[in-house]
Amino acid sequence: MLPYATLEDAEAALGRSLTAVEALWLRYSARMPDYLLYCHNILFLLVIFSLAPLPLTLIELCLPAAVSPYKLQPKVRLPAASFFRCYKDVMRVFIFIVGPLQLSSYPTVKLVGIRTGLPLPSLWEVAAQLGVYFLVEDYGNYWIHRLMHGKWGYEKIHHVHHEFTAPIGFAAPYAHWAEVLLLGIPSFVGPAIAPCHMITFWIWIALRQLEAIETHSGYDFPLSPTKFIPFYGGAEYHDYHHYVGGQSQSNFASVFTYCDYIYGTDKGYRYHKACLTKLKEQQGNGHLNGEVNGFINYGQKSE
């Protein structure tokens, strides 16, 4: 709740006129408790998770031929019931685990200094903080994910997430409840290190969710804007991790690829890519017959 009753009060306190965005924020949040502003995160998570994967899901179910050239594991076709089951299971975790955690974690948010007042942060400040959050979260997520692929972690917890060997957008947060809690820790470390405005915090939660959905989409579209992000992993990178499954000791990164490169956990993936490149070159030169088509994409492995 802002300590200003009117627009004039806010401008007098800041010593300048409010921007259009600041005026809008004042009208929306002036009389709203900070706790309710923080609880917007739950709404954003539910809406983004419900709507963002939906268009591609509908196209895959109704018009599969339209997107089949971009599907990373083209032999895998899930029925509508599998999509619905995934959505239902994730929503159960959201309602009974993520929701209560969000509702009870507000004191921590206030403790680290996430603010709701004026002035609003500049675009440069928002971009810099988001960059820090992505890097910090990516590093923490890498090590938690890597530990999850140990014998105990995989058998007791992480195997749930790998039930989808060909991932789909709805399966981005599909995991054991303990994994959901553990992987939520790195997401909060960044804002704790570099406290931000609540709007920046909303943007961070939304972008991280959208990135996870895109990474688990199961499709590699050539004109995706994320391909222009340096060191970004993307759907193809993470799809390989799911395809290999429980034996995978490769591609643990959630967003970027620098940790896998530094610690050598992308060697299997790079070898795989090199072999595919060589096969495609030989096929393009006419050195291989049509039978190689079934092996160009790892998703077309014979069953």
Side-chain angles (χ1 to χ4, degrees):
M1 184 178 295
L2 300 183
Y4 313 118
T6 65
L7 179 67
E8 291 73 19
D9 291 340
E11 291 180 337
L14 295 178
R16 61 170 175 83
S17 298
L18 299 185
T19 65
V21 177
E22 288 175 330
L24 180 63
W25 177 251
L26 177 67
R27 287 192 292 270
Y28 182 75
S29 65
R31 301 191 181 280
M32 186 178 295
D34 289 355
Y35 179 70
L36 290 182
L37 290 173
Y38 173 65
C39 289
H40 282 45
N41 287 306
I42 302 174
L43 178 62
F44 293 151
L45 285 172
L46 293 177
V47 170
I48 291 172
F49 172 70
S50 298
L51 297 182
L54 193 57
L56 187 56
T57 297
L58 293 177
I59 294 174
E60 180 172 348
L61 292 175
C62 302
L63 300 168
V67 290
S68 60
Y70 312 107
K71 189 170 175 61
L72 290 163
Q73 299 190 46
K75 288 188 68 175
V76 180
R77 295 291 180 189
L78 297 178
S82 294
F83 287 89
F84 181 73
R85 178 183 67 84
C86 178
Y87 178 78
K88 181 181 65 175
D89 289 347
V90 171
M91 289 299 292
R92 184 183 298 117
V93 174
F94 274 6
I95 293 172
F96 293 106
I97 303 298
V98 178
L101 178 64
Q102 290 273 332
L103 293 173
S104 61
S105 61
Y106 175 70
T108 306
V109 170
K110 293 296 290 184
L111 180 65
V112 301
I114 294 177
R115 62 187 181 88
T116 60
L118 295 173
L120 295 184
S122 66
L123 291 178
W124 164 249
E125 181 181 345
V126 172
Q129 289 175 328
L130 290 175
V132 170
Y133 300 167
F134 270 109
L135 290 173
V136 170
E137 192 273 346
D138 194 62
Y139 189 81
N141 186 288
Y142 171 86
W143 285 107
I144 293 175
H145 191 186
R146 187 170 175 177
L147 289 173
M148 286 287 184
H149 274 265
K151 180 177 175 59
W152 187 91
Y154 190 85
E155 291 180 354
K156 300 296 183 182
I157 299 176
H158 192 53
H159 74 278
V160 176
H161 184 64
H162 276 271
E163 287 179 16
F164 286 88
T165 55
I168 57 176
F170 282 118
Y174 180 84
H176 191 284
W177 63 266
E179 180 172 348
V180 173
L181 294 180
L182 285 172
L183 292 180
I185 295 173
S187 296
F188 189 71
V189 172
I193 294 174
C196 61
H197 193 276
M198 186 64 74
I199 292 178
T200 308
F201 192 71
W202 292 349
I203 296 173
W204 160 236
I205 296 299
L207 289 179
R208 184 62 183 87
Q209 182 80 346
L210 289 171
E211 180 277 328
I213 291 171
E214 192 266 346
T215 300
H216 288 82
S217 68
Y219 288 85
D220 183 35
F221 295 106
L223 298 180
S224 172
T226 55
K227 288 185 175 294
F228 299 98
I229 301 175
F231 306 108
Y232 183 78
E236 182 191 17
Y237 191 83
H238 193 68
D239 200 274
Y240 175 81
H241 175 84
H242 274 263
Y243 177 75
V244 176
Q247 290 75 39
S248 178
Q249 294 300 317
S250 180
N251 296 23
F252 295 117
S254 60
V255 183
F256 303 109
T257 61
Y258 69 95
C259 280
D260 281 313
Y261 180 79
I262 292 172
Y263 299 111
T265 48
D266 64 347
K267 293 180 180 178
Y269 173 74
R270 286 191 283 128
Y271 176 77
H272 162 80
K273 291 285 289 183
C275 289
L276 288 184
T277 299
K278 185 176 181 179
L279 282 172
K280 289 178 180 179
E281 289 175 351
Q282 291 176 339
Q283 185 186 38
N285 293 331
H287 295 160
L288 296 175
N289 59 33
E291 295 178 357
V292 77
N293 289 335
F295 301 93
I296 288 297
N297 191 300
Y298 62 76
Q300 296 179 329
K301 181 182 70 174
S302 299
E303 297 177 349

